[in-house]
Amino acid sequence: MKVLVTGGAGFIGSHVVDALIQRGDTVVVFDDLSYGKRINVSKKATFVKGSITNTQSIKRLFNKHKFAAIVHLAAQKNARHSIDDPVFDAEQNIIGSIHLLEQARKQKVKRFVFISTGGVMYGEAKKIPTPETEPAQPRSPYAIAKRSVEHYLEYYSEVHGISTIALRLANVFGPRQDPAGEAGVVAIFMSMLLKGKPPIIFGDGKQTRDYIYVDDAVNAILRAIDKSAEGFYNIGVGKQTSVNQLYGKIAKIAGIHKKVRHGKAVSGEQRTSALSSHRAKKALGWEATVLLNKGLATTWEWFSENTK
């Protein structure tokens, strides 16, 4: 099938593109390169530079190509930046998504896969690992925008008949993650160690997250394209790892032990997060398979070879 991947030059998106091409799909990447890098995009994919907020660019894209499915990753990705500039965040993450959904409606696209967020969707959830039955408690404009788009997906499904699904991803890490552009803590720690700088942990480091290797996340996205399940699904490992524990694992794999500096705690930062993915296992036949240590080792190898 022909698949559109928005944000396909980014960290997760480029891995999705590679996996789609490997299985024989035709892929068009639409990316404004604000986060992504052109070098990440497979030469076997068609690359179109453009923004999801530019209506004319979107129309030209859909006039030229007929898509069977859309994987929508393009977004303003930084929760902290959304607090500083909620208008920009809404323009990118809500209005941009509606532009795509409108074109999908007009072109009768069969499947629309939206990459949502699991890490900050539930706030300080009472139940850990957190299932989808727990209430969404978005506490940043970024998370509010993701939840808003999930509502739009329901609308376009019910009213216009587009088959839609949202994947609430945990904290994804792996090769190609940009320590500057997408602010993944794994990428930041590895980059600093390779540059001989002491990593900084904000607060006491006891805050926990659910870390999922990028190959597992991509597998979930491919299954979401092929299945008919609708609604929203958590995609995570289901295990909490503190920032202190994460750094310890990375330092051990790297064989580099730099004394950590502790910075001021980030105001309002979530303390705990882990996702229950039992619903995804039942509906998509998906579950995480890459252990954290294995994923970190593979990621360290990539950073070692690609950090200048």
Side-chain angles (χ1 to χ4, degrees):
M1 67 174 78
K2 179 178 279 191
V3 183
L4 169 65
V5 180
T6 70
F11 161 47
I12 301 173
S14 63
H15 285 280
V16 172
V17 171
D18 289 348
L20 288 168
I21 289 172
Q22 186 175 11
R23 75 176 196 175
D25 291 327
T26 300
V27 182
V28 176
V29 172
F30 189 69
D31 199 306
D32 65 2
L33 300 181
S34 58
Y35 291 98
K37 298 177 181 178
R38 183 68 177 85
I39 195 173
N40 287 343
V41 181
S42 170
K43 293 180 180 179
K44 295 180 180 179
T46 299
F47 177 77
V48 179
K49 186 177 180 181
S51 170
I52 56 174
T53 61
N54 186 313
T55 54
Q56 294 306 313
S57 294
I58 291 288
K59 287 179 180 178
R60 284 196 296 269
L61 177 70
F62 279 82
N63 285 338
K64 187 173 182 179
H65 299 279
K66 176 74 173 177
F67 300 111
I70 296 172
V71 179
H72 178 32
L73 289 121
Q76 190 294 111
K77 297 176 171 64
N78 193 312
R80 293 175 189 173
H81 183 68
S82 77
I83 295 170
D84 296 332
D85 195 346
V87 173
F88 177 77
D89 184 84
E91 289 172 346
Q92 297 290 317
N93 293 351
I94 300 177
I95 302 301
S97 298
I98 296 172
H99 284 321
L100 281 173
L101 283 163
E102 270 296 281
Q103 292 301 319
R105 173 184 67 81
K106 293 174 182 178
Q107 199 182 85
K108 301 186 185 304
V109 172
K110 293 179 180 178
R111 187 67 163 164
F112 193 105
V113 179
F114 172 62
I115 307 308
S116 188
T117 179
V120 295
M121 183 61 74
Y122 299 102
E124 295 297 347
K126 294 181 180 179
K127 192 171 183 179
I128 303 282
T130 308
E132 294 88 345
T133 50
E134 289 295 294
Q137 300 183 77
R139 292 291 186 265
S140 68
Y142 168 79
I144 291 168
K146 291 290 190 179
R147 184 67 182 120
S148 297
V149 176
E150 290 179 353
H151 285 306
Y152 274 102
L153 294 178
E154 294 171 4
Y155 164 76
Y156 275 87
S157 176
E158 293 174 5
V159 176
H160 299 298
I162 301 174
S163 177
T164 65
I165 186 171
L167 300 182
R168 293 178 172 177
L169 301 188
N171 291 58
V172 184
F173 73 94
R176 297 183 198 155
Q177 190 165 28
D178 187 345
E182 298 181 43
V185 68
V186 171
I188 292 171
F189 282 162
M190 290 186 177
S191 177
M192 294 188 79
L193 285 175
L194 284 165
K195 293 177 180 178
K197 298 179 180 179
I200 301 172
I201 292 177
F202 295 99
D204 60 13
K206 294 180 181 179
Q207 57 269 40
T208 64
R209 296 293 182 268
D210 187 341
Y211 295 98
I212 180 172
Y213 188 61
V214 65
D215 285 0
D216 277 335
V218 170
N219 184 23
I221 293 168
L222 264 60
R223 286 173 182 266
I225 295 172
D226 297 336
K227 301 288 185 177
S228 59
E230 298 196 22
F232 49 85
Y233 296 82
N234 291 339
I235 302 297
V237 176
K239 295 181 180 179
Q240 297 183 73
T241 302
S242 73
V243 177
N244 291 333
Q245 290 171 329
L246 182 71
Y247 174 68
K249 290 176 180 292
I250 292 172
K252 184 176 181 180
I253 289 168
I256 302 173
H257 297 277
K258 289 281 185 182
K259 187 176 180 179
V260 173
R261 289 186 294 156
H262 282 267
K264 185 179 178 181
V266 178
S267 178
E269 183 179 22
Q270 192 169 323
R271 287 294 292 176
T272 58
S273 178
L275 303 177
S276 169
S277 300
H278 291 302
R279 192 166 177 241
K281 183 177 181 179
K282 184 177 180 180
L284 304 176
W286 176 89
E287 59 184 332
T289 61
V290 181
L291 297 176
L292 179 57
N293 285 347
K294 173 62 176 175
L296 289 174
T298 304
T299 305
W300 173 255
E301 183 179 353
W302 184 89
F303 269 90
S304 298
E305 295 173 354
N306 290 274
T307 299
K308 296 179 181 179

